[in-house]
Amino acid sequence: MSDGISDESEDVVGVLTERIEARFGMDIDQLKAAVAAAPTADPDAADVVKWYGLLVEAQTVLDRAEDDLLAALETQASEVDDPTMGLAQRVSAAVTARDGRAMVVRWLLDPDAPGKKDLAAGRLARFRPRTGPAVQTSVPHQPAGTPASAWRAGRAVR
């Protein structure tokens, strides 16, 4: 791949951790703490931290699935049984999940990625959570000379 991550990379999480740290100029744990302290301060950082967490989770699932498969293969004779084939399929699904999440993290880190500078970017921005309420939540201004109790009851006194 052109972004420096080969398909055979054993340490996808490590490579992306380095890229995240370089992009934001801080250690991944510091970035997580900064996003936790102010989640709306930098929406890009919040997205990266969210997807990085999902990536780490997927890598953990993959590691566990690979360990289970290796343990099962060590007890097999020459033929692989159905439960072991199921473990192999679990590894395959875990690799797919991990790679998909890694692709999202790479896309989030690339400012020139397709869809970030065109019409799609505007559509994407609408999916971000709102930073404030969509409707007015404060009490409307009370007209002068109207008793507060009448105004709160929804009727003006004439």
Side-chain angles (χ1 to χ4, degrees), residues 15 22 34 39-40 43 45 52 56 69 71 74 79 89 92 102 106 109 150 154:
V15 171
T40 58
Y52 178 80
V56 169
L69 177 60
E74 288 174 356
E79 245 180 75
Q89 290 171 345
S92 179
R106 281 193 301 257
L109 292 172

Side-chain angles (χ1 to χ4, degrees), residues 25-42:
M26 63 179 73
D27 172 280
I28 191 70
D29 292 327
Q30 292 171 327
L31 181 62
K32 288 179 186 178
V35 167
T40 58
D42 186 346

Side-chain angles (χ1 to χ4, degrees), residues 46-129:
D47 288 344
V48 168
V49 166
K50 171 189 170 186
W51 281 96
Y52 178 80
L54 293 171
L55 172 63
V56 169
E57 177 184 305
Q59 183 64 50
T60 302
V61 169
L62 173 58
D63 292 343
R64 202 171 312 127
E66 287 175 334
D67 291 344
D68 292 347
L69 177 60
L70 288 175
L73 287 172
E74 288 174 356
T75 64
Q76 296 290 308
S78 61
E79 245 180 75
V80 176
D81 60 11
D82 287 341
T84 305
M85 283 303 294
L87 291 172
Q89 290 171 345
R90 197 173 107 206
V91 168
S92 179
V95 167
T96 301
R98 191 267 324 263
D99 290 351
R101 291 171 182 184
M103 287 174 53
V104 172
V105 172
R106 281 193 301 257
W107 184 84
L108 290 169
L109 292 172
D110 183 359
D112 298 321
K116 286 195 170 182
K117 293 186 175 183
D118 54 11
L119 180 59
R123 291 181 181 150
L124 180 64
R126 289 191 297 241
F127 290 119
R128 287 223 162 114

Side-chain angles (χ1 to χ4, degrees), residues 139-158:
V139 178
H141 178 69
Q142 173 184 338
T146 305
S149 60
W151 183 255
R152 278 193 290 270
R155 60 187 189 282
V157 176
R158 297 181 189 232

